[in-house]
């Protein structure tokens, strides 16, 4: 039995605009049992406030401070390193980074899931900053996510494109970075081996958690594709969050 | 002394719209000495006919059949494998691939230097075809090229993005594929160790040629960046094509 639980959001709590069956009750059960809990997400198409608003609208009883997001970790990093970011991020996220000025000139490249903003001109601007020595900071390196039945390109492929173009390696601020998991664990006051991470992304959620010392559980909802579990032999497996909570918490 | 010479074009014969100093004379000298010669290029922003027209306009005496291009190798591969390509290529190149039909449905993804067409929607279309099992065929994996003083993103970063997104590996039809060099050597009727490849791209031109068994010579024009030669210790080095031909041919 874990002493604390970390949950991915998209594909675990909801799909598109609907909660997944049994997930609202499963979270309520974790909360009523008093589990220290964090929702850990690389989602960078939505602000934390918007994520909280959507989850509340679906019936989830979550405090805003229980959401630990990659954009939040990114902001913290930029501020503590006094960096001036060029942000290739989604328009929805702009307000959360608007006060971080680029002037006199950007000295860091920040990549989130920028969706249609991933175009040649924006990527080339980032490329030139990288050549000039700016670090490449990524909210995540997820390959894809699922939206309205289709797999959509996430930030990861574009991070890889820029790494290859400029011959650099990105620093990942979100999952699967061990520092990201540790940041959430620090808030909960538990050690890695006491915590269980439940997610639908075999790499960012499950393998990432395992490498950071947590237990990992893969759910077969969201972006899960048959056979994903073969990549993480030591991981727990559950049909969905409801089953994961019933069996492992 | 080599028995045959292969030359890269952009950054070796010309930069932007001007021949590089001494290069026209150097090519004339190679031709007058009777060297079997091929201009080998991954350029996929121009048709072979247009490359020939531009070179002729600069004073180069080259026969069209001496240009051995990645798009030409790609066409040959598609035809011999009877593939129906989804082409993410530059608009200038469309006419060379227009007769290769996508109907009833594309079963291969072809990537050239598509420039501004590398956008989220086109890349996502390619991604979905790759997930459905289409092979990823690249004219090159060059990181960047130089145009009007600036380094511009080439096809390579976008090939890497798609490889990462779909978990596949691209087949490269242009440089640095050994098969591409071999195709040019076959036309010239020489073996690899008899041939010298001269180029400004340390990876595609020089390391690629060396791996295919040719001798490689790096010139310090075009996209050359200080220190590139450290990546290929066995390579010849010259300030430009004129010096390379004077010293090594």
């Amino acid at each position: 039995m874990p002493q604390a639980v970390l949950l991915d959001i998209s594909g675990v709590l909801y799909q598109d605009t609907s909660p997944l069956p049994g997930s609202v009750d499963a979270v309520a059960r974790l909360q009523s049992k008093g589990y220290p809990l964090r929702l850990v997400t690389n989602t960078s198409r939505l602000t934390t406030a918007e994520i909280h608003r959507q989850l509340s609208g679906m019936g989830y009883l979550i405090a805003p401070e229980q959401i630990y997001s990659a954009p939040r970790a990114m902001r913290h990093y930029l501020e503590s390193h006094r960096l001036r970011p060029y942000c290739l991020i989604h328009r929805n996220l702009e307000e959360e980074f608007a006060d971080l000025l680029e002037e006199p000139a950007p000295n860091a490249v920040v990549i989130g899931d920028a969706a249609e903003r991933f175009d040649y001109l924006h990527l080339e601007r980032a490329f030139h900053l990288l050549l000039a020595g700016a670090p490449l900071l990524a909210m995540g390196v997820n390959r894809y996510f699922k939206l309205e039945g289709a797999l959509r390109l996430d930030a990861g492929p574009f991070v890889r494109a820029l790494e290859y173009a400029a011959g650099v390696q990105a620093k990942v601020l979100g999952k699967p970075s061990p520092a990201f998991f540790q940041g959430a664990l620090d808030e909960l006051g538990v050690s890695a081996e006491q915590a269980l991470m439940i997610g639908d992304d075999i790499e960012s959620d499950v393998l990432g958690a395992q490498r950071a010392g947590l237990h990992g559980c893969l759910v077969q909802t969201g972006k899960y594709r048959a056979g994903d579990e073969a990549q993480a032999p030591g991981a727990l497996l559950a049909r969905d969050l409801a089953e994961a909570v019933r069996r492992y918490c």
Side-chain angles (χ1 to χ4, degrees), chain A residues 108-111 130 134-138 159 162-163 168-172:
Chain A
V109 172
V110 167
I111 308 285
L130 297 177
L136 177 58
L137 307 174
V159 174
L162 288 170
E163 287 182 326
V168 300
Q169 191 168 7
K171 179 175 181 65
V172 180

Side-chain angles (χ1 to χ4, degrees), chain A residues 91-105:
Chain A
R91 71 178 68 244
N92 291 348
L93 208 64
E94 274 187 341
E95 63 177 84
E96 287 208 352
F97 287 79
D99 59 315
L100 297 168
L101 294 177
E102 290 190 15
E103 300 304 325

Side-chain angles (χ1 to χ4, degrees), chain A residues 15-37:
Chain A
Q15 185 59 52
D16 301 325
T17 54
S18 306
L20 284 161
S23 287
V24 170
D25 286 348
V27 171
R29 188 167 155 185
L30 289 172
Q31 300 271 45
S32 70
K33 279 189 173 181
Y35 272 106
L37 182 72

